[in-house]
Each structure stands twice: as structure tokens, then as C-alpha cells.
Amino acid sequence: MSDSLSAHYREILLGLGEDPAREGLLDTPKRAAKAMRYLCHGYELSLEEIVNGALFASDNDEMVIVRDIELYSLCEHHLLPFIGKAHVAYIPTGKVLGLSKVARIVDMFARRLQIQENLTRQIAEAIERITGAAGVAVVIEAQHMCMMMRGVEKQNSQMFTSVMLGAFRESANTRQEFLQLIKRSH
């Protein structure tokens, strides 16, 4: 598989008019293939593997929020990075999820070719499925290199997406509390 991916990167270099045999590019196809496999390693992971039983009994039925989880993903349209932060909340119903598992779930889906809208929904639905939460909320804010480095070249633009499930969708007060708690203080 890696030889095949490396060969494709070699063809890309040729297609760009580069000489893959020149000193600076000799190992570039192998390095690029290795980097791409790492950037897309989310395909190799499953929710069950990531959680690995880290669900703990709890009487807490109040909102749990993990804010500012950095994420790095690749736009499925241009294969260019988008970089940002995810804010994830859920309302437990007898079980809480190990803290690091929330970040690992974000990474599992971010490390696939994505669009931000789908990424946001995938994270929310995974948290809901694994915890049985009464509600889940996810907000992602990101900057997209496909918009900054090419096309309209807008350097200061950010995209915000949100998915609200259960209590966060049904209750304006619950939704507002979450949005207020993730709001930045400037």
C-alpha cells in the first residue's frame, strides 16, 4: 500500500513539472505517503476501540463540557488542511465518558477526509451513541486553507458549525447555557 501511494506522489511531482530524481525530492514521495497515512489514520480506528470501556457510572446529570479541543483535518474537496477547535458537551444519564476519550473521538473523525459540517455531526452522534446522553452539543470553529491559500484567499475567515441533539435541541435554555460557557472572553 505504501509503495502504491508513494508511486502516486511521484506521478504528482511529474505532473507538476518537477523532477522526482532531483536531490531535494528523492524521498518526497515516501515522506508524503507516510504523512498522508498519518493525517488520515482515523479510518483505521473505531469508536469502541477508542472508548475502550472508559465509561464510568455517575449520578451526575448536569452538563459536561470539553472546550477548545484542537483539531486538524483535510478538506475532502481539495485535500488541504482545515485547523480549528471543537467544543463538545453532553448531559449524562448514569454514565460519564473518560475525559481524554472525548478528544480521541474528535481526532478519530478529524483524521479522515472531511467537510466540517459532517465532522461536527459525526462527533455528536458518536458521543450520543456511546454515552446514551440526554443531549449532545458540538460546535467547531475552523480556518480552511482551501479558502486561505487558493480561491478567494480570505485570511481571516472562520467557519462555525454546530450540531445540537436531544436536550440541546429541545431546550433553548440548555443550548444557551452551553453556548455561553464556550464563549470566549476577550
Side-chain angles (χ1 to χ4, degrees):
M1 180 177 179
S2 63
D3 289 341
S4 171
L5 198 51
S6 294
H8 290 296
Y9 276 109
R10 185 179 186 288
E11 290 300 314
I12 290 170
L13 292 173
L14 286 169
L16 293 172
E18 265 294 355
D19 176 9
R22 81 172 167 84
E23 183 182 0
L25 295 177
L26 279 175
D27 290 328
T28 297
K30 286 183 206 162
R31 286 191 301 263
K34 183 178 179 183
M36 185 59 81
R37 278 192 310 280
Y38 179 79
L39 294 174
C40 293
H41 74 268
Y43 291 115
E44 300 167 10
L45 303 171
S46 74
L47 187 56
E48 292 70 26
E49 287 174 324
I50 285 176
V51 172
N52 195 25
L55 279 169
F56 307 102
S58 174
D59 293 337
N60 180 39
D61 61 357
E62 297 293 329
M63 191 181 306
V64 175
I65 300 174
V66 184
R67 191 179 99 166
D68 295 329
I69 303 166
E70 67 265 9
L71 65 87
Y72 307 93
S73 194
L74 290 175
C75 159
E76 68 183 34
H77 299 140
H78 303 99
L79 300 183
L80 290 173
F82 64 94
I83 300 165
K85 293 180 179 180
H87 314 290
V88 179
Y90 68 99
I91 300 172
T93 56
K95 293 188 180 202
V96 292
L97 185 59
L99 178 61
S100 70
K101 303 306 182 183
V102 176
R104 290 182 192 279
I105 290 169
V106 170
D107 283 346
M108 178 181 76
F109 291 110
R111 295 302 187 157
R112 299 174 181 184
L113 301 179
Q114 283 287 9
I115 62 172
Q116 185 173 328
E117 298 90 335
N118 291 348
L119 174 60
T120 309
R121 177 154 300 282
Q122 289 166 357
I123 294 166
E125 289 174 350
I127 297 286
E128 181 182 55
R129 182 164 65 89
I130 207 74
T131 64
V136 177
V138 177
V139 169
I140 295 178
E141 52 185 280
Q143 291 186 292
H144 292 251
M145 295 302 125
C146 58
M147 198 166 157
M148 297 170 71
M149 294 176 66
R150 55 158 301 282
V152 295
E153 296 186 30
K154 299 302 176 201
Q155 303 308 303
N156 297 309
S157 62
Q158 283 193 319
M159 181 176 181
F160 288 78
T161 51
S162 70
V163 170
M164 306 287 167
L165 303 175
F168 289 95
R169 179 179 281 286
E170 296 158 9
S171 167
N173 288 339
T174 303
R175 185 170 49 255
Q176 190 57 39
E177 179 184 352
F178 166 67
L179 294 172
Q180 198 62 38
L181 287 168
I182 66 167
K183 195 175 191 180
R184 305 254 180 271
S185 57
H186 295 283

